[in-house]
Each structure stands twice: as structure tokens, then as C-alpha cells.
């Protein structure tokens, strides 16, 4: 049973949890930071943020049982938003791992891989403001309602979704080192590569939209 519009920010001991919770509060949501799997399962909405290593994060998520809790809520139709590393983890596999290991298995909710940005002549990590270019799917996405095409948002990452991620789920693309999917959407599951909590007015609008998605599901008969 969902808990009265409460959005859980999942604490898997990786990253900027309080800034995400503050951003949600500013957007008018009731947010709680917790690592408790029962609280995650009872949430009206779930945000999986994070900055750090794919391998380390998946190690904690599996050891704590958060993997099953997260899959349960996503499969139950609970609105879910993955941010940066939280986006990466919902895919099948990531290449950010220890020497001698080629891939680390992710949650596998969506098919596709996460790979390192090829630096070339550009600096990696990709840090700072950059544009999101909405796809046709993105223009229909409730997370981006009122967000203009080409909006500037804040990135900080060295890995991104690879070319094997299906075009049907991609809502936005960004061009840095390569063209990569910077946002995805399938049913109740949303994910963004950038940090809406650090993205000024555009980011606040995205968090507000997510809070609205959660509220709408709560009042739906």
C-alpha cells in the first residue's frame, strides 16, 4: 500500500541524497531518504539517485536486498525516477568495473549497456551545463511537460548509455564525446543522465512534473 504521496529517495550509500530530497521538497513533494527496503516498497514514488561506481553501487544494492525492492516497485507501476548512476543501474550491464572484469550486471529492468564516454579531444568526465534534445517520445513524456527543447541541464559523469539501448525508450539525447541517450521513459519508469536537482528552473520543473506523476497515480480510481 502506497504511503500518502511520499517519495522515497533511496539511500544506497552513493552520492547526493540530501540535495535530491531538497529539490523534491522545493518542487512541492514529500520526500524521505531511507535505505529500508520496507519503506521503499511502501512508497508512492521512488527516486534512485547517486554518484559513484556502477560496480560498487550494485554490490551494495544486491547485498542489502534493495535490488528486489526496486524491481518490485517498478513492476508494480510505482512512479520511478533514476538520476545519473541511478539511471545506469536499471539497465542490464555496465562496464565500470574492476580490472579483469568486462561487465557488471545491473538491475536489468531495461535492455542495454552503460559504457565509458570516449574522451577524444574532449574532457571526460563530462561536467557542466549541456543541452537535452527531446525525441518524439520525449515530447510526449510527462516528465518533460513544459521543458523546452534544447534546455540546459547540469551533467557530471564519465559513463553513459550505449548504442544498444532501444530508441523506443529514449526521450532525450545529448551530444558530448558521442551522441548518448540522456533520458529514457517506459511506462512508470523514468531516467535522466543529468542532475535535475542542480539544473535550476528546468530541473525544478522536471522534479515538479515527477511529483505530479506520483500524485496523479495516488488519486487515480
Amino acid at each position: 500500500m502506497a504511503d500518502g504521496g511520499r517519495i522515497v529517495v533511496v539511500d544506497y550509500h552513493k552520492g547526493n541524497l540530501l540535495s535530491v530530497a531538497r529539490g523534491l521538497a522545493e518542487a512541492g513533494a514529500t520526500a524521505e531518504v531511507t535505505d529500508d527496503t520496507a519503506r521503499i516498497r511502501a512508497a508512492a514514488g521512488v527516486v534512485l539517485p547517486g554518484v559513484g561506481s556502477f560496480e560498487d553501487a550494485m554490490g551494495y544494492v544486491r547485498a542489502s536486498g534493495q535490488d528486489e525492492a526496486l524491481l518490485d516497485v517498478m513492476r508494480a507501476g510505482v512512479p520511478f525516477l533514476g538520476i545519473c548512476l541511478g539511471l545506469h543501474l536499471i539497465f542490464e550491464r555496465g562496464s565500470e568495473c574492476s580490472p579483469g572484469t568486462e561487465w557488471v550486471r545491473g538491475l536489468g529492468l531495461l535492455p542495454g549497456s552503460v559504457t565509458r564516454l570516449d574522451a577524444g579531444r574532449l574532457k571526460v568526465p563530462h561536467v557542466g551545463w549541456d543541452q537535452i534534445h527531446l525525441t518524439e517520445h520525449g515530447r510526449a513524456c510527462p516528465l518533460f511537460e513544459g521543458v523546452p527543447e534544447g534546455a540546459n541541464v547540469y551533467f557530471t559523469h564519465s559513463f553513459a548509455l550505449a548504442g544498444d539501448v532501444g530508441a523506443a525508450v529514449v526521450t532525450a539525447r545529448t551530444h558530448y564525446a558521442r551522441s548518448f541517450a540522456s533520458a529514457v521513459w517506459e511506462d512508470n519508469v523514468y531516467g535522466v543522465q543529468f542532475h535535475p536537482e542542480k539544473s535550476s528552473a528546468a530541473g525544478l520543473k522536471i522534479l515538479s512534473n515527477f511529483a505530479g506523476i506520483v500524485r496523479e497515480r495516488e488519486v487515480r480510481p
Side-chain angles (χ1 to χ4, degrees):
M1 180 82 176
D3 188 359
R6 180 181 54 90
I7 297 175
V8 156
V9 179
V10 179
D11 181 3
Y12 59 109
H13 303 184
K14 290 290 170 187
N16 53 332
L17 305 176
L18 293 179
S19 61
V20 173
R22 284 194 296 267
L24 285 165
E26 190 177 350
T30 301
E32 173 193 2
V33 177
T34 184
D35 60 4
D36 187 296
T37 56
R39 299 296 286 166
I40 293 168
R41 285 187 168 94
V46 173
V47 176
L48 186 66
V51 176
S53 159
F54 190 107
E55 183 174 41
D56 290 348
M58 280 308 307
Y60 181 86
V61 165
R62 287 212 167 86
S64 65
Q66 288 180 355
D67 56 342
E68 292 301 326
L70 289 166
L71 288 170
D72 285 349
V73 297
M74 287 188 277
R75 289 167 177 163
V78 174
F80 172 93
L81 174 62
I83 296 173
C84 196
L85 181 58
L87 162 69
H88 296 172
L89 298 183
I90 67 177
F91 283 84
E92 289 177 306
R93 61 184 189 168
S95 65
E96 188 178 11
C97 47
S98 304
T101 304
E102 186 176 4
W103 297 102
V104 174
R105 184 166 53 92
L107 292 170
L109 186 83
L110 295 177
S113 309
V114 180
T115 57
R116 186 172 178 84
L117 290 173
D118 180 12
R121 291 182 295 175
L122 295 173
K123 183 178 178 181
V124 173
H126 173 211
V127 177
W129 296 87
D130 211 334
Q131 292 182 313
I132 50 171
H133 299 286
L134 300 179
T135 64
E136 183 177 354
H137 188 47
R139 289 189 288 274
C141 179
L143 195 68
F144 291 111
E145 184 178 344
V147 177
E149 156 61 22
N152 279 295
V153 293
Y154 191 83
F155 290 84
T156 175
H157 64 119
S158 299
F159 289 76
L161 299 182
D164 60 352
V165 171
V169 302
V170 176
T171 51
R173 303 194 72 85
T174 296
H175 311 301
Y176 186 92
R178 56 179 163 86
S179 178
F180 60 86
S182 49
V184 300
W185 167 41
E186 184 173 81
D187 299 325
N188 57 299
V189 176
Y190 304 84
V192 295
Q193 178 62 71
F194 54 90
H195 290 269
E197 76 280 6
K198 298 181 179 180
S199 296
S200 193
L204 183 61
K205 179 60 176 170
I206 288 167
L207 292 177
S208 178
N209 286 343
F210 182 71
I213 292 164
V214 173
R215 286 192 296 269
E216 182 180 352
R217 181 176 185 269
E218 283 284 274
V219 301
R220 195 179 303 154

